[in-house]
């Protein structure tokens, strides 16, 4: 009997008892098992309120009838995991046999080790997960960290369950934003390289994106003092529709100076497109790129490679990898033929001006979605349609998950709807894993520019934080007369501990919520953190080192050791272990790593309570009970390792 069989068996017992009382199958399925609020009242139970009308009895009386049926069934039950049926008013509770449940649970964990609970899906599917999707004009930032960690963790969870997983990345390596960095480097770079400056490639390119914006702001500020700018402002000021909108935002008593500030802020994009010298040069560079200009393409390839190399370093440090990388420069023309075919099939239509659109009423939404502009150029939706179908044709996967921020919900609702029109078999196979923003407390871990924290700065900040914490603890230990660690050991361990803290903190939140990342809270070894889990794992391996090795028992000895378990603290740990299969099912179903993070906290908290309890000091125990607690500890280390692996957290045997 395995852990998952215990719950299935309890459900079967419940259904047999209810069937004996002529309760129909649909009603039986609606009555669910749940944990009891008090372990003394049983372990799992169910209410019978729903039967009052059909059985025409008060719920407590129905509960007694159900108990009578269960007692009869249990007389012939061969599993023996239920020791007693406990009634609490209208609730029927199963009290489990602690020794047998502990034996079933721990033996399964010890047998499966770090693969505990894996490969449970009956029908394995092929999932493709797209995540990261950075631009090549700057380094990845804090938002990308959450995206990367979510995508990687969901991929690990699905693969752990037994699915085939293909990780893909779509890098946005073309467009006007890329040309801004290229133009700034061409004009102001003076030939510097990552090697010559000792700068990571994506940071060097990002530097020139900042340079471009700085130069453009200077140009725009200078233009605002010209007669041409004044004339533009006066013309705008005489447009009642425009000024009404401005006063709605600024207040009806807005001064001329306020109005002027509002105008120049809103006019910036128009200036870039129509008047700016830098804007004209950038747009010309984009046209040259699209025309295949050799010089522009050589510069583009060189700078992009710098960024790709930098991204690879970031991904490696973060523990993220991809099976295939797509580039927008290869995919931006995809979908145009698809739109033409959709027009011929009557799925799309030509609208006024010659553009081609999809009437969204076909998918239960309002309005038209333009897919080809009147000049024949495509939009992002067109590219996404073509890329999605190309992937299904190439890989034949059963499902596709896009890990993208929640501000793109509408985009993916439209994308999935249109894909369903084009290929009915894709209905239900496309999923948007949306996530919220990540924010930092004011004054903590600012980036070089003092605005957005990039991924490399964040990881390095966590490493430095752990180095400082290690030195602080060393000083405290030295003062108290306890052993200290060499500084090189502190430095070596700071990286995996700091990144483990970062990953746990980010992934502990449901993806849809906003994360307020606090590095100090993330490294608290007594809080709901990755450090807590890492300490529990290391603590268990410290016991092993102290006691020499794990118990070497034969079958009889192992049975005796495990059946010696039974204290409330021990059974709380067994119960936490037993929750793993269900936790995995929910995490797979919802694509939600926070369920794994929650499980780790519950497991390690229960174990720490056991470890610190005065009656559970392993060194003071003897015989089967000592071996039982030791084997329980070993099982916790395996389960914790399984959970930490799914979150990308390293398992260190010493901290």
């Amino acid at each position: 009997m395995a852990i998952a069989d215990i719950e299935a068996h309890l459900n079967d017992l419940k259904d047999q008892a209810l069937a004996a009382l002529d309760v129909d199958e649909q009603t039986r399925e609606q009555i669910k098992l749940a944990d009891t609020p008090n372990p003394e009242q049983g372990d799992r139970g169910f209410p019978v309120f729903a039967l009052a009308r059909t059985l025409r009895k008060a719920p407590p009386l129905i509960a007694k009838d159900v108990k009578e049926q269960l007692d009869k069934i249990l007389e012939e039950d061969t599993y023996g995991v239920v020791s007693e049926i406990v009634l609490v008013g209208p609730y029927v509770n199963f009290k489990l046999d602690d020794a047998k449940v502990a034996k079933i649970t721990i033996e399964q964990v010890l047998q499966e080790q770090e693969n505990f609970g894996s490969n449970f899906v009956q029908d394995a599917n092929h999932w493709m997960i797209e995540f990261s999707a950075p631009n090549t004009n700057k380094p990845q930032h804090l938002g990308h960290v959450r995206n990367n960690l979510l995508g990687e963790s969901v991929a690990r969870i699905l693969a752990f369950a037994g699915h085939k997983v293909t990780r893909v990345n779509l890098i946005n390596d073309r467009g006007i934003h890329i040309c801004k960095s290229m133009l700034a480097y061409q004009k102001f770079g003076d030939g510097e390289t990552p090697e010559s400056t000792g700068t990571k490639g994506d940071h060097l390119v990002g530097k020139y994106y900042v340079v471009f914006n700085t130069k453009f702001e200077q140009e725009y500020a200078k233009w605002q003092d010209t007669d041409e700018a004044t004339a533009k402002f006066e013309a705008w000021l005489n447009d009642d529709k425009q000024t009404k909108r401005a006063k709605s935002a600024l207040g009806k008593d807005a001064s001329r100076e306020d109005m002027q500030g509002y105008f120049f802020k809103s006019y910036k994009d128009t200036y870039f497109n129509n008047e700016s010298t830098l804007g004209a040069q950038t747009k010309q560079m984009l046209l040259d790129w699209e025309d295949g200009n050799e010089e522009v393409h050589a510069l583009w390839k060189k700078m992009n490679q710098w960024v790709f190399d930098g991204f690879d370093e970031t991904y490696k440090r973060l523990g993220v990898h991809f099976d295939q990388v797509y580039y927008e420069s290869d995919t931006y023309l995809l979908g145009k033929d698809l739109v033409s075919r959709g027009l011929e099939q009557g799925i799309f239509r030509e609208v006024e001006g010659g553009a081609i659109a999809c009437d969204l009423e076909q998918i239960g939404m309002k309005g038209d979605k333009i897919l080809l502009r009147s000049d024949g150029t495509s939009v992002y939706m067109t590219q996404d349609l073509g890329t999605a179908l190309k992937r299904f044709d190439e890989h034949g996967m059963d499902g596709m998950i896009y890990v993208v921020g929640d501000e793109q919900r509408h985009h993916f609702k439209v994308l999935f709807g249109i894909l369903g029109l084009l290929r009915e078999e894709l209905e239900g196979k496309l999923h948007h894993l949306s996530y919220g923003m990540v924010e930092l407390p004011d004054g903590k871990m600012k980036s070089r520019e003092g605005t957005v924290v990039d991924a490399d700065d964040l990881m390095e900040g966590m490493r430095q934080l752990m180095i400082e914490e290690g030195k602080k603890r060393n000083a405290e230990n030295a003062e108290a007369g306890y052993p200290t660690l060499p500084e090189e050991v502190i430095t070596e361990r700071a990286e995996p501990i700091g990144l483990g803290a970062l990953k746990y903190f980010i992934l502990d939140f449901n993806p849809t919520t906003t994360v307020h990342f606090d590095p100090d809270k993330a490294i608290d070894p007594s809080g709901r953190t990755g450090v807590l889990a890492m300490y529990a794992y290391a603590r268990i391996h410290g016991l092993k080192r102290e006691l020499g090795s794990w118990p070497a028992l034969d079958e009889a000895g192992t049975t005796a050791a495990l059946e010696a378990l039974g204290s409330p603290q021990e059974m709380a740990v067994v119960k936490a272990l037993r929750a793993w299969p269900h936790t995995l099912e929910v995490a797979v179903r919802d694509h939600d790593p926070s369920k794994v993070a929650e499980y780790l906290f519950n497991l390690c908290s229960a174990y720490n309570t056991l470890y610190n309890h005065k009656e559970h000091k392993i060194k003071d125990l003897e015989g089967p009970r000592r071996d039982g607690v030791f084997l329980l500890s070993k099982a916790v280390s395996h389960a914790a390792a399984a959970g930490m692996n799914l979150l990308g957290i390293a398992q260190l045997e010493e901290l």
Side-chain angles (χ1 to χ4, degrees), residues 77-331:
D77 181 45
T78 58
Y79 289 113
V81 293
V82 178
S83 62
E84 184 183 358
I85 303 298
V86 181
L87 294 185
V88 183
Y91 291 88
V92 180
N93 298 333
F94 295 103
K95 188 167 183 58
L96 302 178
D97 185 301
D98 288 343
K100 289 185 178 178
V101 169
K103 184 175 186 297
I104 290 168
T105 302
I106 297 171
E107 282 186 342
Q108 182 178 342
V109 182
L110 295 179
Q111 180 180 359
E112 297 179 5
Q113 300 185 38
E114 280 73 18
N115 292 318
F116 171 43
S118 65
N119 298 312
F120 64 84
V121 292
Q122 299 299 315
D123 299 311
N125 292 320
H126 180 189
W127 288 92
M128 178 175 283
I129 305 179
E130 178 191 289
F131 60 104
S132 199
N135 298 323
T136 57
N137 62 336
K138 51 190 172 183
Q140 296 183 58
H141 54 67
L142 185 56
H144 287 108
V145 170
R146 189 175 196 188
N147 185 305
N148 290 329
L149 294 180
L150 272 174
E152 178 65 27
S153 184
V154 170
R156 292 183 182 212
I157 290 169
L158 291 176
F160 191 77
H163 294 293
K164 177 182 178 181
V165 177
T166 300
R167 299 162 169 85
V168 299
N169 189 3
L170 175 60
I171 296 181
N172 302 304
D173 65 336
R174 62 166 291 278
I176 197 73
H177 54 293
I178 306 300
C179 290
K180 289 178 180 180
S181 299
M182 291 168 58
L183 182 68
Y185 179 79
Q186 191 180 65
K187 293 172 71 70
F188 310 111
D190 198 25
E192 66 178 18
T193 66
E195 292 76 19
S196 69
T197 60
T199 305
K200 196 162 167 279
D202 50 339
H203 288 284
L204 182 63
V205 173
K207 166 187 169 182
Y208 283 100
Y209 187 69
V210 173
V211 168
F212 179 91
N213 287 321
T214 301
K215 297 293 184 181
F216 173 71
E217 291 290 346
Q218 293 170 353
E219 180 192 281
Y220 188 46
K222 186 175 181 180
W223 177 81
Q224 291 173 39
D225 293 329
T226 65
D227 293 340
E228 181 185 2
T230 301
K232 295 280 187 184
F233 171 60
E234 294 294 343
W236 176 85
L237 203 57
N238 291 324
D239 186 328
D240 291 340
K241 185 177 180 180
Q242 296 289 347
T243 53
K244 183 178 180 181
R245 183 181 294 116
K247 288 184 177 181
S248 176
L250 299 172
K252 61 181 181 179
D253 297 325
S255 65
R256 178 184 173 88
E257 184 178 353
D258 292 336
M259 297 290 280
Q260 190 175 40
Y262 181 93
F263 166 73
F264 283 126
K265 183 178 180 179
S266 61
Y267 191 74
K268 185 183 291 185
D269 287 343
T270 304
Y271 171 78
F272 177 84
N273 289 320
N274 298 331
E275 283 103 10
S276 169
T277 301
L278 284 173
Q281 292 172 338
T282 306
K283 290 189 292 180
Q284 184 58 53
M285 179 172 278
L286 179 59
L287 291 173
D288 290 342
W289 181 89
E290 291 176 347
D291 289 339
N293 180 284
E294 291 185 7
E295 182 180 350
V296 170
H297 265 253
L299 176 63
W300 170 73
K301 289 179 180 178
K302 178 171 69 174
M303 294 182 69
N304 269 354
Q305 192 58 54
W306 291 345
V307 176
F308 299 154
D309 292 342
F311 284 174
D312 286 345
E313 290 183 41
T314 301
Y315 290 135
K316 183 178 180 180
R317 190 173 186 184
L318 203 55
V320 168
H321 80 277
F322 300 95
D323 301 299
Q324 186 169 351
V325 178
Y326 293 85
Y327 302 93
E328 191 182 325
S329 56
D330 296 326
T331 66

Side-chain angles (χ1 to χ4, degrees), residues 571-596:
M571 294 314 298
V573 176
V574 172
K575 183 177 180 180
L577 286 169
R578 196 158 51 85
W580 184 231
H582 178 67
T583 297
L584 283 171
E585 288 180 11
V586 175
V588 169
R589 181 195 68 200
D590 297 344
H591 306 148
D592 186 0
S594 73
K595 303 303 182 186
V596 176

